[in-house]
Amino acid sequence: MLAFPNALIPTHPVLSAASFFDRRHDEGVGSVLDAGQAQLVTSGRVAIALALQQMNVRKGDKVLVPAFHCNSMIEPVVWLGGEPTFYRINPDTSVNLDDIRSKVDSQTKVLMATNYFGFPQALSELRAFCDEHKIFLLEDCAHSFLGEYRGKPLGSYGDYAIASTMKFFPIYEGGCLVSSRHAIAHLPLRSAGIAFEMKAAFNTLEKGFAYGRMTLLKAALSLPMWLKDAVWGSIKKKRLPGNGSLAPGASDGGFAFEPAWVDKRTSFLSHYLIRTVSRKRMATKRRQHYLTLHKALSDLPGCRPLFAELPDGVVPWVFPLYVNDLATVFPALKNAGVPIIRFGEYLWPGVDEKVCAASVELSSRVMQFPCHQDLRTDELEWMIGKITTVLHANRNSSQ
């Protein structure tokens, strides 16, 4: 795997004083947490595992999963002994219900449906389909913590819904399991310990410091942060081999599923920030930044926005761009320090064009740029300038 320099602007939200602006206006902004009972855990993949456990998925049970996915969506199914069965999606990321229908049989227990990049599926239709066939609907809101569909918050349509709070909030770790149809308050979640709490808190602060946020607080905490490094090193040395990681790998960019985190609740700081960071600002800024990117990049050579428009009620996770020559453009942008996400870059073994041509094409042609609420205007303009330069240079070199 090629090594690229760190992104020069934040790929994900970072904590700053502005995180709490407009908090008093949050009442009109729906989220997955408004869909039903909720449990806050350490990642979206942990939430998937918990949901599958609640649906009593066992060895041999078929779980219908989208062919366009990341591996962390599939590993919890395998961990429980379920059989992941991949269904087709269309080029616009909507599910192919005819293909799903052809795969349902007596062993089918769950349909997992993903609201890609924040854009909801036809959830009412999927709900009716699952009711008709007496199977569970797992609504994957990892990309869609905020937003609604037909007047209801996303997460309301599934028997269970999961979300990845770390994609939307300035936190180090976090996910949630939600249900509007089943009781989940009884789940026996516990703290991951003081070392985990410390790591979650310090990493949240350090990520903001690294991108020039909270400079006064950084100066005030310079000595405590120096001491933290020494204490942290001591804690790690004292941990016995085999005790596992101090924090979930999902927080550090890993894709593997870690069963040891299934019974752990989110950190105290993450819980606090999820409840207090402004949803209104999050929704407004994400939509504004998305539309700015859409306008700036729509007419560039060799690419097109994956979605033609941003419907009302959609709060995007990222801005997905379809690029004809991604193999050349991607490394050029990464080497320039541009933050890029590649959801679905690596598909589960065996998922190829015969399984779903659209998924393979999306995997190899689409990359995503941040549009989160904590991007500053100068950072957004810098990113657009770099993307524009690289795409024009790629066109010129190919002529």
Side-chain angles (χ1 to χ4, degrees):
M1 183 177 295
L2 294 175
F4 296 108
N6 292 332
L8 296 180
I9 61 175
T11 308
H12 303 287
V14 289
L15 187 64
S16 68
S19 301
F20 306 97
F21 292 175
D22 290 335
R23 180 68 181 88
R24 65 187 182 278
H25 301 299
D26 278 0
E27 292 78 9
V29 183
S31 81
V32 171
L33 296 181
D34 299 317
Q37 291 186 17
Q39 291 279 9
L40 297 178
V41 294
T42 58
S43 68
R45 67 197 68 174
V46 161
I48 290 175
L50 285 170
L52 295 174
Q53 283 183 328
Q54 294 303 298
M55 292 181 281
N56 201 29
V57 170
R58 297 180 177 178
K59 185 175 181 178
D61 288 336
K62 183 185 289 188
V63 179
L64 299 175
V65 292
F68 187 44
H69 57 267
C70 66
N71 286 353
S72 59
M73 296 164 57
I74 313 303
E75 289 184 350
V77 179
V78 176
W79 174 63
L80 286 169
E83 178 187 337
T85 302
F86 296 94
Y87 64 81
R88 294 175 184 172
I89 65 165
N90 300 313
D92 64 354
T93 76
S94 61
V95 303
N96 186 322
L97 194 55
D98 288 337
D99 190 60
I100 291 174
R101 185 175 286 108
S102 71
K103 291 178 166 63
V104 172
D105 59 25
S106 61
Q107 298 300 114
T108 304
K109 197 163 210 175
V110 180
L111 167 63
M112 184 189 305
T114 302
N115 299 317
Y116 293 105
F117 310 124
F119 290 71
Q121 297 288 348
L123 296 169
S124 296
E125 188 175 2
L126 292 175
R127 178 71 266 170
F129 177 87
C130 289
D131 289 342
E132 176 188 353
H133 293 276
K134 295 180 173 56
I135 59 177
F136 290 105
L137 175 60
L138 175 54
E139 191 177 342
D140 177 8
C141 299
H143 299 180
S144 54
F145 181 83
L146 297 177
E148 61 179 33
Y149 179 77
R150 295 189 176 178
K152 296 168 64 175
L154 296 178
S156 302
Y157 293 84
D159 291 275
Y160 296 89
I162 68 95
S164 178
T165 49
M166 73 177 89
K167 290 183 173 68
F168 285 82
F169 290 87
I171 56 180
Y172 174 63
E173 48 71 41
C176 64
L177 172 66
V178 175
S179 182
S180 61
R181 293 169 169 249
H182 307 276
I184 58 173
H186 64 283
L187 295 183
L189 301 178
R190 60 189 180 89
S191 170
I194 186 63
F196 164 69
E197 296 286 348
M198 289 174 59
K199 185 174 179 66
F202 281 120
N203 279 49
T204 297
L205 292 173
E206 286 178 331
K207 188 165 68 170
F209 296 161
Y211 288 104
R213 273 65 169 183
M214 303 180 295
T215 53
L216 292 178
L217 181 60
K218 179 181 179 181
L221 293 178
S222 58
L223 179 58
M225 296 298 281
W226 178 84
L227 291 172
K228 179 271 300 183
D229 290 336
V231 173
W232 193 247
S234 176
I235 290 174
K236 289 193 287 187
K237 287 180 182 179
K238 291 179 180 179
R239 288 180 66 84
L240 296 175
N243 280 358
S245 174
L246 293 170
S251 299
D252 294 319
F255 294 100
F257 170 67
E258 301 161 303
W261 290 91
V262 170
D263 65 342
K264 307 300 191 299
R265 60 175 178 262
T266 195
S267 68
F268 175 81
L269 180 60
S270 293
H271 187 281
Y272 171 77
L273 291 174
I274 290 167
R275 298 296 184 180
T276 56
V277 164
S278 171
R279 294 185 194 173
K280 175 68 173 179
R281 174 176 175 268
M282 189 188 304
T284 301
K285 289 289 188 180
R286 283 176 177 268
R287 286 183 58 86
Q288 287 176 352
H289 294 163
Y290 183 100
L291 291 171
T292 297
L293 286 162
H294 194 285
K295 181 178 180 180
L297 305 183
S298 289
D299 295 327
L300 291 180
C303 72
R304 60 174 172 81
L306 184 60
F307 301 106
E309 59 183 16
L310 180 64
D312 292 341
V314 171
V315 180
W317 166 40
V318 287
F319 179 82
L321 187 71
Y322 184 102
V323 180
N324 296 338
D325 187 13
L326 186 143
T328 301
V329 171
F330 173 74
L333 289 172
K334 289 289 285 186
N335 282 319
V338 175
I340 304 174
I341 300 167
R342 290 282 305 277
F343 173 82
E345 180 180 6
Y346 303 106
L347 301 178
W348 197 256
V351 177
D352 56 18
E353 289 86 353
K354 293 180 180 179
V355 175
C356 180
S359 294
V360 173
E361 183 174 11
L362 290 168
S363 173
S364 61
R365 299 285 188 180
V366 176
M367 55 186 174
Q368 302 92 49
F369 300 100
C371 64
H372 59 75
Q373 67 273 14
D374 294 314
L375 286 172
R376 297 188 305 233
T377 300
D378 62 306
E379 293 173 332
L380 188 61
E381 291 175 349
W382 175 86
M383 181 168 61
I384 289 170
K386 290 294 182 183
I387 297 169
T388 301
T389 298
V390 167
L391 283 167
H392 277 296
N394 187 63
R395 179 190 60 178
N396 294 336
S397 66
S398 62
Q399 289 179 341

